[in-house]
Amino acid sequence: MRIYLIGFMGCGKSSFGKRLARKLEYPFVDLDADIEHETGQSLDDYFETYGEAQFRRTERQALLRTLSLPKAVIATGGGTPCFEDNMDVMNAEGVSVYLRMSPLSLAHRLQKAQTKRPLLKDLHEKELLPYIREKLNEREAYYLKSHCIIKGETVKTDQVVSLLFG
Ligand code: S3P
């Protein structure tokens, strides 16, 4: 089974994904890390050099590469489900799990990690929460197409394992 973790930046897809993969003894793939590996550039540099449209094409390629793995836990990027038919691909080829989190929780978590993210790094502290609210509002229609929706603040690996395999 391919398990695609979906959700806004900062909802914990990568850290939760690593734990879930360890528990299931599945390989773990982080799309952002895979893109960095393929391009030989940090995500930030790649975004800066080539722009968002090119990043989305590269992200799509990284997503399609996951189809060669029969089983894996895959942490997607916050924007992955919202471009081309990526969400439909994930739903057809695997199980999608949306780690849903409130804008306030996300803002709290992202404050510390803002500089690492190209879409957030130029925002003033006061602009972060309104930005999250607006962007999440745009993106939730895609995220909500996920097979499973889990509260990101309290998610536990056992909970997801029993939901998927129980
Ligand atoms: C993005 C989220 C990032 C990364 C890129 C764009 C987005 O991934 O793919 O900076 O559009 O939300 P994380 O969700 O892992 O931060």
Side-chain angles (χ1 to χ4, degrees):
M1 188 193 284
R2 296 181 199 97
I3 303 166
Y4 291 99
L5 299 178
I6 308 287
F8 203 81
M9 291 173 267
C11 73
K13 299 174 296 273
S14 300
S15 57
F16 179 72
K18 277 182 205 149
R19 281 188 278 128
L20 183 63
R22 210 175 305 130
K23 177 140 230 156
L24 293 171
E25 299 184 5
Y26 274 23
F28 172 69
V29 179
D30 186 312
L31 285 194
D32 288 343
D34 186 46
I35 293 167
E36 291 188 328
H37 181 78
E38 274 295 307
T39 62
Q41 274 183 292
S42 73
L43 214 69
D44 201 15
D45 285 345
Y46 189 75
F47 226 88
E48 190 107 315
T49 315
Y50 298 102
E52 182 170 356
Q54 176 58 31
F55 172 76
R56 297 303 171 192
R57 284 192 283 274
T58 306
E59 180 178 54
R60 163 94 176 166
Q61 293 312 312
L63 175 66
L64 296 180
R65 278 197 293 279
T66 65
L67 304 186
S68 67
L69 300 166
K71 58 182 188 180
V73 175
I74 300 129
T76 64
T80 314
C82 316
F83 292 86
E84 303 203 35
D85 65 343
N86 291 348
M87 193 67 213
D88 296 335
V89 169
M90 291 188 273
N91 278 341
E93 303 291 341
V95 177
S96 53
V97 179
Y98 173 24
L99 301 182
R100 194 178 198 184
M101 229 183 232
S102 73
L104 262 184
S105 304
L106 291 167
H108 188 70
R109 292 163 60 100
L110 284 167
Q111 256 162 24
K112 294 166 232 149
Q114 215 177 314
T115 52
K116 285 191 287 181
R117 288 179 165 90
L119 294 176
L120 305 180
K121 67 183 170 68
D122 296 328
L123 292 178
H124 188 273
E125 209 185 305
K126 286 203 194 92
E127 295 171 318
L128 185 60
L129 183 58
Y131 176 86
I132 293 169
R133 286 210 166 103
E134 192 187 320
K135 203 79 176 165
L136 188 59
N137 200 30
E138 275 168 39
R139 289 181 166 183
E140 269 229 307
Y142 297 93
Y143 296 163
L144 290 171
K145 286 164 111 187
S146 297
H147 294 123
C148 312
I149 300 168
I150 307 267
K151 193 170 162 56
E153 287 92 343
T154 53
V155 64
K156 296 272 182 302
T157 50
D158 285 343
Q159 177 193 2
V160 174
V161 171
S162 58
L163 194 71
L164 298 178
F165 299 91

